[in-house]
Amino acid sequence: MYPRTAAAFARANIAFIKYWGDLDPCWRVPANGSISMNLAGLSTRTRVTFDPLLGRDTLLLDGEPASAAALERVSAFLDRVRQLAGRQEFAAVESANNFPMGAGLASSAAAFAALSLAASAAAGLSLAEKDLSRLARAGSGSACRSVPGGFVEWQAGAGDEDSYAYSIAPAGHWDLVDCVAVISQEHKRVGSTEGHALAASSPIQAARVADAPRRLNMCRAAICERNFAAFAEVVEQDCNLMHAVMMTSSSRLIYWQPATLAVMAAVQSWRQAGLEVCYTIDAGPNVHVLCRSAGVETLRAGLGALPGVQMVLVAGPGGAAALEQDV
Ligand code: PMV
């Protein structure tokens, strides 16, 4: 029956142990495993309609026609879905974020997780969580972590078959909160796909990857035991290691700005003063400051008072990607 339509939503996620560099860039199989938390309230909603009357795929982002590059990436992704489902029809895709696009949050993770679910359902597939996570990974690596709920681990695997994410604890397990100190809303100059390709050119990357199992074990245990001190230590070390690789790759990537360093220093002094707080930073200048729910108001006020911090977004642990029933 046509047109076939489905809508789904998925949350952004923040990595505590980072993905940086690929074993297989074509399938986005990572050089190391990673651990993240889905972010409640920061989500993407996507509707996909397969329609035999369409002459090509179309893409609307927040109501506006997407760029040619974005459409090409989504179309290549839909080809995988068509191949899996044995279908040929083109699709109309509409996607909207409920968080500011320029806030430096990885919108591609929520976007490709929602697209995987909506497109596979609209194509008549009913994929298990593991296979949905594998599909999302092919669109944007970190998107595989926005498929399961709560606290999530992406096992690196050796290839497409065994590289996927699963939940290690539900959203209600721990009252961690991500307070994002937004320093710049500019679009990043070097995107993550290009960045992953540069990772192996850093002499530090091999050591970072070799040590990843230790950091993954520490982080997983800290989450399971709700041990903030151990969590803070490994999360900041992992973030600094990734940025050390970025800064020392053949085309050097320095994402930090003076205000980024000011937030990092403030976080350290607040922790020394007894607040349970630590930072992590993705491929941009904004700082994700992690705390427990009791510390949110103190932290929000402290971050907001620092020079260079434009706004603070607050998000606790979020659930899994889900289909919308009302379509
Ligand atoms: O999924 P990608 O290709 O956008 O890469 C994500 C890279 C980082 O956000 C820097 C780290 C991570 O694990 O999310």
Side-chain angles (χ1 to χ4, degrees):
M1 202 171 66
Y2 286 100
R4 290 170 164 272
T5 187
F9 64 93
R11 280 105 183 163
N13 72 70
I14 179 64
F16 302 144
I17 301 296
K18 307 290 190 188
Y19 152 49
W20 197 248
D22 290 310
L23 198 64
D24 177 349
C26 175
W27 285 95
R28 296 182 201 269
V29 175
N32 63 277
S34 52
I35 292 179
S36 61
M37 174 179 99
N38 284 353
L39 299 175
L42 304 180
S43 62
T44 301
R45 179 187 184 275
T46 301
R47 179 194 292 269
V48 176
T49 306
F50 284 99
D51 187 342
L53 298 177
L54 288 172
R56 60 182 181 87
D57 294 319
T58 61
L59 174 61
L60 286 183
L61 291 180
D62 288 325
E64 302 285 330
S67 66
L71 176 60
E72 200 182 317
R73 187 163 169 187
V74 164
S75 227
F77 180 81
L78 290 170
D79 285 343
R80 285 186 199 258
V81 177
R82 282 185 277 260
Q83 197 182 5
L84 276 175
R87 323 194 67 88
Q88 261 105 48
E89 306 86 15
F90 290 110
V93 178
E94 290 166 68
S95 193
N97 289 326
N98 75 347
F99 54 92
M101 274 287 258
L105 292 157
S107 55
S108 67
F112 277 100
L115 180 62
S116 301
L117 187 49
S120 57
L125 295 167
S126 174
L127 298 179
E129 185 185 86
K130 166 188 163 188
D131 295 321
L132 201 58
S133 176
R134 288 172 51 221
L135 178 64
R137 194 202 69 235
S140 172
S142 57
C144 77
R145 297 190 311 241
S146 283
V147 171
F151 298 85
V152 171
E153 180 158 0
W154 173 7
Q155 70 171 32
D160 172 48
E161 289 286 321
D162 60 347
S163 185
Y164 59 91
Y166 47 83
S167 183
I168 53 173
H173 168 74
W174 200 13
D175 63 340
L176 271 192
V177 181
D178 183 7
C179 297
V180 192
V182 177
I183 283 160
S184 166
Q185 301 194 49
E186 266 178 44
H187 211 71
K188 52 191 173 202
R189 272 168 293 130
V190 179
S192 51
T193 304
E194 218 177 311
H196 293 302
L198 287 169
S201 69
S202 163
I204 295 172
Q205 172 72 346
R208 177 188 162 276
V209 169
D211 181 60
R214 181 192 66 87
R215 298 193 305 282
L216 287 162
N217 287 341
M218 269 188 76
C219 185
R220 196 186 310 108
I223 291 171
C224 290
E225 294 158 12
R226 302 184 192 91
N227 179 342
F228 196 92
F231 176 77
E233 191 182 321
V234 71
V235 167
E236 291 192 357
Q237 186 187 49
D238 187 85
C239 162
N240 294 348
L241 273 167
M242 179 182 75
H243 283 272
V245 166
M246 291 164 160
M247 288 176 197
T248 52
S249 54
S250 61
S251 174
R252 64 180 196 166
L253 302 173
I254 301 182
Y255 289 105
W256 297 351
Q257 290 181 10
T260 311
L261 284 158
V263 175
M264 292 161 80
V267 166
Q268 198 183 7
S269 70
W270 293 331
R271 190 163 63 241
Q272 276 161 2
L275 193 67
E276 287 187 313
V277 66
C278 68
Y279 66 77
T280 188
I281 305 159
D282 281 342
N286 302 334
V287 187
H288 295 253
V289 185
L290 305 159
C291 68
R292 306 277 308 282
S293 55
V296 171
E297 287 320 315
T298 311
L299 189 57
R300 198 206 287 260
L303 288 171
L306 293 175
V309 175
Q310 295 177 2
M311 61 172 163
V312 181
L313 293 173
V314 176
L323 276 174
E324 277 187 14
Q325 303 305 328
D326 60 336
V327 286

